[in-house]
Amino acid sequence: MSTGLPMVSLSTSSVYPEGTAAGFATAARLGYDGVEVMVGLDDVSADTTAIKALASSHDIPVVSIHAPCLLVTQRVWGTDPWGKLHRSAEMALDVGADTVVVHPPFRWQREYARGFVEGIARLEDEYDVAFAVENMYPWRSGKREFQAYAPGWDPVPFDYLNVTVDFSHSATSRIDSLDLIDQLGDRLAHIHLADGSGSMKDEHLIPGRGTQGCDRLLERLAQRGFTGHVVVEVNTRKAEDRDADLLEALAFARLHLASAPV
């Protein structure tokens, strides 16, 4: 029976350095509602047939595809950034996902960046999936700050129809996540649930362990009747007990999505 609350899914990146298959197994074992596939260096993550088999064998849906936008995935599905987004949309449609998460271009990808906003709009017209552009952050080293993304790390000023908000990225960029989701309004399509302390590092802490106020953020989403996906995307690489951490994140999400003030 539907609860009317957003699904809480697990990003396969949350089990790194284990691979995509472990991500599906973990999500199913712990009781997550779905999976976001981070397309990366793990060959399984880029293989649609393998992803469909994993979803079927674990009886868990794929809700979203994270396009290969990281520095370490620059050669996954070729080197053409638009080609990667087409492949991501095709995978999403084939596995039944409704969202493709994409980062804005790196500043040195000048041609891609120049036409990015318009290009995303064309892709949304072409495919029956949402291309949810993710908020990023300035890169910092000491007192120096480098704008690594173009046309910008903050999605608010740009005409994206759909946006992903990552609370860890908000912490790293030192902005107020609550203000960000309010500014985006109906353009907010997708959530990466994690936490951060405001460090220059993108921490992806278990929600509730940082300073972002993830409890009130989830309650605000519930108050607004948010219908997108909430995806736990956390760093468990050094966790003493990964399952315990991921269960904590799942319980936190469900508690606060269900406890919004009336």
Side-chain angles (χ1 to χ4, degrees), residues 57-105:
S57 66
H58 291 291
D59 192 25
I60 192 167
V62 179
V63 300
S64 47
I65 302 296
H66 195 310
C69 304
L70 306 177
L71 282 172
V72 296
T73 60
Q74 288 184 86
R75 296 190 178 277
V76 175
W77 285 343
T79 57
D80 173 22
W82 291 115
K84 295 173 188 285
L85 298 191
H86 283 282
R87 289 284 297 271
S88 297
E90 290 160 4
M91 175 182 272
L93 291 170
D94 205 6
V95 303
D98 60 15
T99 303
V100 171
V101 178
V102 57
H103 292 182

Side-chain angles (χ1 to χ4, degrees), residues 48-175:
T48 299
T49 300
I51 295 302
K52 291 170 72 174
L54 286 167
S56 176
S57 66
H58 291 291
D59 192 25
I60 192 167
V62 179
V63 300
S64 47
I65 302 296
H66 195 310
C69 304
L70 306 177
L71 282 172
V72 296
T73 60
Q74 288 184 86
R75 296 190 178 277
V76 175
W77 285 343
T79 57
D80 173 22
W82 291 115
K84 295 173 188 285
L85 298 191
H86 283 282
R87 289 284 297 271
S88 297
E90 290 160 4
M91 175 182 272
L93 291 170
D94 205 6
V95 303
D98 60 15
T99 303
V100 171
V101 178
V102 57
H103 292 182
F106 293 110
R107 183 167 292 279
W108 53 87
Q109 295 175 298
R110 291 186 179 86
E111 185 176 348
Y112 178 42
R114 192 175 300 117
F116 183 70
V117 178
E118 297 78 12
I120 291 294
R122 287 194 296 271
L123 287 170
E124 297 227 272
D125 287 339
E126 182 175 350
Y127 294 101
D128 188 23
V129 296
F131 281 82
V133 180
E134 189 167 358
N135 65 309
M136 298 304 290
Y137 47 85
W139 290 4
R140 295 188 177 92
S141 176
K143 295 182 179 180
R144 299 180 62 187
E145 185 172 287
F146 173 58
Q147 301 300 324
Y149 300 97
W153 57 264
D154 180 359
V156 171
F158 304 104
D159 293 330
Y160 304 127
L161 184 61
N162 294 291
V163 172
T164 295
V165 168
D166 182 309
F167 297 150
S168 177
H169 293 177
S170 298
T172 305
S173 57
R174 298 171 185 167
I175 63 173

